Amino acid sequence: MNIKDQFEQLCLPFTKDQRLINNLWKEIDTKYTEKGRHYHNLLHLENMLTELEPVKDKISDFTVVSFAIFYHDIVYNATSKSNEEKSALKAKEKLSELGFPQSRIELISDQILATQHHQKSKDEDTNYLLDADLSVLGKDLESYLSYTRMIRKEYSIYPDLLYKPGRKKVLKHFLELESIFKTEYFKEKYEVQARANIAAEIQLL
């Protein structure tokens, strides 16, 4: 099932209005294919959904987490510090149109906001979302380096002089965490490789 169909399947229990679903999808498609999105694009969403497929049964509200994935980077500007807040607001607005229950919309908003600081959450569903978001860090070195090049392109507005120290700070922050990944499943799958990749990138900066 392609990503558009996955989104449609998520929406169908809440509305039969095909035009509304199409409009919601069109906005997601337009936002995630904006010029300058080399990494935070539809492929990133697809990868996150794929990563969570094997642990679906461990997630208590998979619909909430799935909607959070679709909306977590809908507003993305490399120079902005408020992408997550804006994305959460957009999710609230759009999912209200869909007639999605308000209490679950609040959960989605909280999950999107959690992607700003990536702190371990009391809510295990949120931890799965955060881990899927960072799963690229634990891929083989070649894939990881390809990811770092895409991120660099997204931040191309900044010269190396500004980019490198900023990037180093982010990477060192990850290494200082007791664990980069919050769930046992992802920790086991990616933690060791992620730490090796990050250390390798720091050497290259």
Side-chain angles (χ1 to χ4, degrees):
M1 198 191 301
N2 69 30
I3 191 164
K4 178 177 189 252
D5 293 341
Q6 281 175 282
F7 182 74
E8 196 166 290
Q9 291 304 311
L10 277 179
C11 294
L12 280 171
F14 307 99
T15 183
K16 295 293 167 261
D17 183 347
Q18 197 59 50
R19 224 184 83 199
L20 172 63
I21 296 176
N22 287 342
N23 287 340
L24 291 176
W25 168 255
K26 209 177 286 174
E27 182 177 34
I28 287 170
D29 189 38
T30 303
K31 288 287 191 183
Y32 282 94
T33 53
E34 284 167 343
K35 195 173 171 300
R37 283 196 186 231
H38 301 279
Y39 175 72
H40 292 91
N41 51 28
L42 291 174
L43 190 59
H44 173 51
L45 303 189
E46 248 175 84
N47 289 338
M48 286 178 72
L49 291 163
T50 303
E51 285 288 347
L52 290 179
E53 198 53 47
V55 285
K56 221 174 173 171
D57 59 334
K58 291 185 164 70
I59 294 171
S60 64
D61 194 334
F62 197 68
T63 301
V64 159
V65 172
S66 300
F67 272 129
I69 288 174
F70 277 104
Y71 282 99
H72 82 290
D73 283 326
I74 193 160
V75 178
Y76 184 76
N77 176 346
T79 61
S80 171
K81 293 262 186 284
S82 56
N83 291 324
E84 292 81 6
E85 284 97 333
K86 287 177 182 162
S87 295
L89 285 171
K90 175 68 78 178
K92 279 181 164 181
E93 177 199 329
K94 295 300 167 183
L95 294 171
S96 296
E97 283 177 32
L98 187 64
F100 197 66
Q102 210 53 47
S103 58
R104 290 164 85 196
I105 289 178
E106 288 304 325
L107 290 174
I108 290 167
S109 172
D110 290 346
Q111 288 178 358
I112 293 172
L113 291 172
T115 63
Q116 187 164 22
H117 299 296
H118 276 273
Q119 298 297 332
K120 192 174 168 76
S121 171
K122 289 188 190 75
D123 174 58
E124 196 63 354
D125 281 9
T126 302
N127 290 329
Y128 277 108
L129 174 80
L130 296 176
D131 283 357
D133 195 23
L134 293 183
S135 56
V136 66
L137 301 179
K139 301 290 182 190
D140 61 277
L141 185 61
E142 198 181 325
S143 305
Y144 177 83
L145 291 174
S146 159
Y147 145 78
T148 66
R149 286 192 291 273
M150 290 185 274
I151 292 290
R152 181 65 187 103
K153 277 186 184 167
E154 287 190 342
Y155 284 88
S156 58
I157 185 165
Y158 296 111
D160 277 353
L161 191 68
L162 291 174
Y163 178 78
K164 287 184 174 184
R167 179 73 181 165
K168 233 179 224 174
K169 193 176 158 194
V170 169
L171 296 173
K172 284 186 169 156
H173 164 71
F174 280 130
L175 292 183
E176 282 159 12
L177 295 172
E178 190 187 325
S179 171
I180 295 167
F181 295 98
K182 322 285 183 247
T183 62
E184 284 310 315
Y185 171 80
F186 280 100
K187 208 180 286 183
E188 213 165 280
K189 193 174 177 188
Y190 289 136
E191 185 77 24
V192 173
Q193 183 68 46
R195 287 183 176 273
N197 287 342
I198 290 170
E201 187 186 353
I202 289 172
Q203 288 301 305
L204 293 169
L205 285 169

